[in-house]
Amino acid sequence: MIKLNRIASVLALTCATLAAHADVVIQNLSATSTHISFDIIGTITVQGSGYHHQFGFGHVSDPSLDWINSFNGAASSVSVSGPTKQGISGVYDLTGVYGETVWTVSSTAWLIGDQIDLHYDLVGDFNLANFHADGLGFQNGFTQGPAIEGANNLLVISHVPEPMTLALVGLGLVGAAASRRHRS
């Protein structure tokens, strides 16, 4: 029985960890009409059709939602931390046929499986009536078009941990505690 408890707790914690890091999540979103900041954390699991040294952040739900009135690339930044593979050398806005999206450039291509932990700090004039996290996406690899392609969207909106993840962590902790109690 003790072995079964240990196996169940390890399996539950492993599943919870995988569920928590399966995609890319946006955290710490703060938006004003002149400053938008957020963190992008997770694992690259899909890629766009080209230019894999670029990350794009923009609309997936409605390409007509123009939220960038003007963008100050010189004052904006993207910083990296944690297990992120490489630095970001620039951040800029694409308009017109490419939609209203923010793009960053790295020196080499990103690969599926790469871990990212990025902090975006965007400066400009933003139309907050059109800026909604639920309608935005994050993509590795540039795809020409009016918005981030839904099929290549990595972003999972997760302001708080998902109930399934919390349940799996709780199950794992209960199993670990029961296993420890039986050992003593």
Side-chain angles (χ1 to χ4, degrees), residues 26-107:
I26 186 171
Q27 297 177 339
N28 305 318
L29 175 63
S30 172
T32 70
S33 62
T34 59
H35 182 238
I36 295 175
S37 66
F38 52 88
D39 298 325
I40 296 281
I41 300 169
T43 304
I44 298 173
T45 55
V46 296
Q47 292 183 313
S49 61
Y51 300 105
H52 293 144
H53 63 293
Q54 297 188 32
F55 285 136
F57 183 80
H59 293 285
V60 290
S61 60
D62 184 351
S64 69
L65 293 177
D66 177 358
W67 56 275
I68 301 175
N69 295 327
S70 66
F71 183 74
N72 187 339
S76 298
S77 65
V78 180
S79 55
V80 300
S81 61
T84 302
K85 172 183 167 182
Q86 60 187 333
I88 303 287
S89 58
V91 56
Y92 57 93
D93 169 41
L94 283 181
T95 58
V97 297
Y98 302 107
E100 290 296 336
T101 52
V102 173
W103 291 87
T104 63
V105 182
S106 296
S107 58

Side-chain angles (χ1 to χ4, degrees), residues 18 21-24 42-48 55 110-116 138-140 151-156:
L18 291 174
H21 300 290
D23 289 299
V24 173
T43 304
I44 298 173
T45 55
V46 296
Q47 292 183 313
F55 285 136
W110 299 85
L111 304 173
I112 290 178
D114 283 346
Q115 299 289 311
I116 54 174
F138 183 75
Q139 178 176 311
N140 172 228
N152 294 323
N153 181 27
L154 284 162
L155 188 61
V156 174

